């Protein structure tokens, strides 16, 4: 399933948000409690979760998020494999991929980690990508962001929650004029959020342990840092990542020393990593850097996994060029040898739908064993049902899907389409409301739910459900208002 993206300038601001230049406060680091439970001075976990939730909704609204079920699934599996090996995990983790050609990654409250798609370009192995994730995860488990905010709260008379809220809102609001933007940037420059060098060292130290425990190559961490350092030496401007995660020479040598003290085991990148890399490149790369033949030719001469990923990459090239017959011919043997592979099935579904062959996609997907337990393929089948004018069948799948994955906008958007095709206006409005709420547009969401409520029978179960949901969203609105005051 490929998703069209709204492109905005807002991703630029995410870097700026985290790139504030507050002088390092090394001494305050030592005074802070380890887990941060001092009454009154420290953010509680619940506050962090609420802020994380607020932030993710703004992110969905304003950043070019890649809502690709296969890629989301992959980065969340990889991330959670590392989280399982981390200590002091207090919240669930969620990983997001945004379309951005600058190398960067950052962690936010509530275990939310954002990766730029360019990481797939620069990570030559799964261990390298994992090293970046392990570093970000460690910023979260060590609560660097909360501590940074607390220390700034002490040193500056800022209502930081309000200031942060306005930065996030500004990022998410494409209608903002330049004046408002530069005001916001000024706020970011005052150092709302920044990681100190001590934070960086700690995230590396903890992160490399997590990396090794999860079965990846610890050498990947200094190797990836070396790439960043080389890039900053030879490129006209330093990688964005070094603004948010400073990299002095000592950080690189420390990482190198730590890796050298660990047992080094050669680790092969998984097949999924190679598929994810080539898919990100091929489907979400920047227009001026399309998927080139170089990498494919290199992989065609590589190991078995690389050869297979290269074949998949060729299919993507043809699919992107809308040469569907050629794409199909290349994909058929791959699918025949691995009939339940979600990367291949998803691609074949897209090719079918590209050629208006929804019925073919439906019958193929229906016959895949274990499809009920695979959320990626469930979405594919629902999508094929919608395209194939069988919206009632789509709805059946999507009721279950949105129940078990309420935070995935893809499910709600498909459900709204299916309901519209069935003439179920109230249900359509309610599904659209959920999609809007996920991107923080609570006023509009409440409005749609009120409309839905007025369309159904007075006193019906549906009406009770819509009204209860309106109450929940009003509460959420109340909670978010405190982040919007400044
Ligand atoms: Zn960092």
């Amino acid at each position: 399933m490929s998703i069209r993206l709204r492109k905005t300038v807002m991703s630029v601001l995410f870097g700026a948000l985290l790139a504030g230049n507050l002088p390092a406060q090394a001494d305050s680091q030592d005074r802070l409690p380890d887990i941060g439970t001092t009454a009154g001075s420290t953010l509680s976990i619940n506050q962090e979760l609420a802020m994380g939730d607020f932030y993710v909704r703004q992110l969905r609204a304003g950043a070019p998020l890649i809502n690709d079920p296969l890629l989301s699934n992959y980065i969340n599996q990889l991330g959670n494999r590392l989280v399982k090996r981390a200590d002091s995990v207090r919240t669930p983790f969620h990983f997001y991929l945004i379309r951005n050609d600058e190398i960067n990654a950052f962690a936010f409250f509530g275990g939310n980690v954002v990766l730029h798609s360019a990481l797939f370009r620069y990570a030559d192995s799964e261990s390298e990508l994992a090293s970046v994730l392990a570093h970000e995860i460690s910023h979260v488990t060590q609560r660097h962001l909360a501590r940074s905010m607390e220390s700034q709260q002490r040193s500056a008379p800022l209502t930081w929650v309000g200031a942060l809220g306005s930065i996030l809102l500004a990022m998410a609001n494409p209608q903002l004029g330049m004046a408002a933007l530069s005001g916001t940037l000024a706020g970011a420059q005052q150092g709302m959020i920044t990681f100190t060098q001590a934070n960086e060292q700690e995230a590396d130290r903890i992160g490399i342990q997590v990396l090794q425990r999860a079965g990846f190559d610890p050498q990947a961490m200094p190797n990836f840092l070396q790439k960043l350092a080389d890039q900053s030496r030879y490129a006209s401007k330093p990688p964005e990542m070094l603004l948010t995660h400073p990299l002095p020479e000592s950080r690189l040598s420390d990482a190198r020393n730590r890796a050298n003290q660990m047992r080094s085991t050669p680790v092969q990148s998984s097949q999924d990593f190679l598929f994810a890399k080539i898919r990100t490149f091929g489907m979400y790369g920047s227009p001026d850097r399309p998927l080139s033949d170089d990498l494919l030719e290199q992989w065609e001469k590589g190991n078995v996994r690389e050869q297979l990923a290269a074949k998949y990459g060729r299919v993507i090239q043809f699919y992107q060029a809308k040469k569907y017959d050629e794409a199909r011919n290349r994909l058929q043997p791959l699918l025949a040898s691995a009939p339940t592979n979600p990367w291949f099935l998803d691609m074949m579904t897209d090719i079918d739908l590209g050629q208006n062959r929804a019925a073919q996609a439906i019958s193929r997907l229906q016959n895949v064993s274990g499809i009920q337990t695979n959320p990626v393929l469930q979405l594919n089948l629902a999508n094929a049902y919608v395209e194939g004018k069988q919206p009632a069948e789509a709805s059946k799948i999507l009721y279950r899907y949105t129940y078990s994955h309420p935070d995935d906008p893809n499910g709600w958007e498909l459900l709204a389409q299916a309901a519209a095709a069935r003439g179920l206006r109230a249900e359509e409005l309610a599904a659209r409301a959920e999609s809007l709420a996920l991107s923080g547009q609570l006023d509009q969401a409440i409005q749609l739910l009120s409309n839905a409520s007025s369309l159904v029978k007075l006193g019906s179960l549906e009406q009770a459900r819509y009204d209860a949901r309106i109450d929940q969203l009003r509460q959420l609105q109340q909670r978010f208002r405190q982040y919007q005051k400044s």
Side-chain angles (χ1 to χ4, degrees):
M1 194 165 132
S2 63
I3 313 288
R4 249 161 268 247
L5 294 159
R6 282 173 300 169
K7 254 205 148 176
T8 71
V9 296
M10 292 308 157
S11 55
V12 181
L13 286 173
F14 281 101
L17 169 66
L18 296 183
N21 290 317
L22 191 85
Q25 294 176 319
D27 61 335
S28 68
Q29 192 66 24
D30 303 323
R31 292 200 313 267
L32 285 168
D34 194 35
I35 305 179
T37 48
T38 315
S41 74
T42 307
L43 278 176
S44 72
I45 291 294
N46 282 341
Q47 283 172 308
E48 285 196 25
L49 282 172
M51 290 183 69
D53 180 31
F54 175 72
Y55 161 77
V56 166
R57 287 172 206 262
Q58 309 303 319
L59 183 78
R60 286 200 195 95
L65 206 63
I66 299 179
N67 271 322
D68 182 304
L70 286 160
L71 294 173
S72 304
N73 195 42
Y74 171 71
I75 58 170
N76 278 283
Q77 274 180 0
L78 177 65
N80 282 305
R81 177 173 159 194
L82 293 158
V83 169
K84 261 189 220 134
R85 300 301 177 146
D87 298 323
S88 318
V89 175
R90 296 173 191 82
T91 65
F93 273 72
H94 303 280
F95 299 85
Y96 301 89
L97 190 61
I98 61 177
R99 189 174 191 164
N100 192 310
D101 214 32
E102 294 276 335
I103 313 177
N104 207 353
F106 45 90
F108 204 77
F109 288 126
N112 294 298
V113 177
V114 177
L115 310 174
H116 281 195
S117 52
L119 283 171
F120 276 104
R121 177 185 300 280
Y122 289 95
D124 289 317
S125 70
E126 191 165 40
S127 290
E128 287 186 6
L129 180 62
S131 78
V132 176
L133 269 70
H135 176 96
E136 297 304 324
I137 290 165
S138 305
H139 276 311
V140 176
T141 59
Q142 303 311 110
R143 302 194 77 192
H144 289 156
L145 201 49
R147 292 180 190 197
S148 160
M149 287 186 132
E150 286 156 14
S151 62
Q152 285 167 48
Q153 191 184 19
R154 269 196 285 270
S155 63
L158 276 176
T159 56
W160 53 263
V161 173
L164 175 72
S166 56
I167 291 172
L168 291 173
L169 283 180
M171 283 162 42
N173 187 348
Q175 273 92 45
L176 271 175
M178 272 324 283
L181 279 184
S182 51
T184 300
L185 287 175
Q189 292 306 319
Q190 285 166 22
M192 278 315 301
I193 303 168
T194 185
F195 291 133
T196 62
Q197 289 186 16
N199 290 158
E200 288 308 309
Q201 298 271 3
E202 189 175 49
D204 286 346
R205 180 171 59 77
I206 308 277
I208 203 167
Q209 292 165 9
V210 171
L211 188 67
Q212 194 205 27
R213 282 185 217 146
F216 294 102
D217 179 7
Q219 292 290 346
M221 186 174 276
N223 290 351
F224 196 78
L225 290 176
Q226 182 69 57
K227 275 188 217 175
L228 289 175
D230 290 347
Q231 229 211 347
S232 72
R233 202 163 299 140
Y234 303 117
S236 53
K237 69 183 173 91
E240 198 177 293
M241 188 151 181
L242 300 190
L243 299 175
T244 55
H245 306 272
L247 177 61
E249 196 57 45
S250 61
R251 196 185 146 199
L252 185 52
S253 53
D254 284 357
R256 184 72 67 197
N257 288 339
R258 274 190 210 105
N260 286 341
Q261 284 158 24
M262 291 174 155
R263 196 160 42 87
S264 179
T265 39
V267 181
Q268 232 190 40
S269 295
S270 74
Q271 186 71 66
D272 282 344
F273 167 77
L274 300 172
F275 285 153
K277 179 171 164 111
I278 208 75
R279 185 175 173 90
T280 306
F281 248 125
M283 299 185 80
Y284 307 99
S286 68
D288 47 319
R289 280 189 197 164
L291 175 55
S292 72
D293 285 337
D294 297 0
L295 179 63
L296 292 178
E297 280 164 13
Q298 184 198 320
W299 281 1
E300 275 155 3
K301 291 180 229 131
N303 65 32
V304 178
R305 289 177 186 175
E306 286 167 344
Q307 288 173 25
L308 186 59
K311 288 179 181 161
Y312 177 63
R314 294 286 177 203
V315 176
I316 289 175
Q317 275 184 323
F318 285 114
Y319 172 78
Q320 289 293 87
K322 294 199 166 46
K323 294 181 178 163
Y324 297 128
D325 285 328
E326 186 65 38
R328 182 186 298 278
N329 290 341
R330 300 252 181 171
L331 183 54
Q332 224 125 38
L334 304 185
L335 190 54
S337 65
T340 58
N341 182 309
W343 303 89
F344 299 159
L345 281 166
D346 179 282
M347 192 79 236
M348 198 56 110
T349 305
D350 280 345
I351 294 169
D352 282 337
L353 297 183
Q355 295 187 308
N356 294 315
R357 296 190 198 170
Q360 206 171 323
I362 291 167
S363 71
R364 181 183 315 101
L365 288 166
Q366 278 172 333
N367 290 318
V368 175
S369 64
I371 185 171
Q372 281 82 5
T373 56
N374 186 320
V376 172
L377 296 181
Q378 287 287 301
L379 274 184
N380 266 279
L381 182 55
N383 190 28
Y385 276 132
V386 169
E387 298 286 321
K389 310 265 183 290
Q390 297 185 52
E393 294 299 318
S395 298
K396 267 189 225 163
I397 294 172
L398 292 165
Y399 293 145
R400 280 197 311 268
Y401 184 85
T402 52
Y403 180 78
S404 53
H405 300 85
D407 293 339
D408 182 358
N410 291 320
W412 294 112
E413 278 154 29
L414 279 174
L415 184 59
Q417 286 176 38
R422 297 166 70 196
L424 304 175
R425 181 69 178 147
E427 191 177 302
E428 180 199 348
L429 292 174
R432 294 213 187 284
E434 293 303 330
S435 177
L436 285 167
L438 283 177
S439 54
Q441 293 158 280
L442 298 180
D443 287 338
Q444 294 95 316
I446 289 169
Q447 185 59 52
L448 290 193
L449 282 165
S450 312
N451 296 352
S453 173
S454 67
L455 286 173
V456 293
K457 218 168 93 198
L458 202 65
S460 64
L461 263 178
E462 282 99 330
Q463 193 176 50
R465 202 155 46 86
Y466 297 150
D467 292 349
R469 188 65 183 134
I470 289 171
D471 287 345
Q472 280 179 333
L473 292 183
R474 288 224 170 95
Q475 281 169 23
L476 201 59
Q477 222 171 10
Q478 284 284 309
R479 205 173 65 191
F480 287 171
R481 278 214 180 99
Q482 62 181 306
Y483 307 138
Q484 294 163 10
K485 277 184 229 144
S486 51

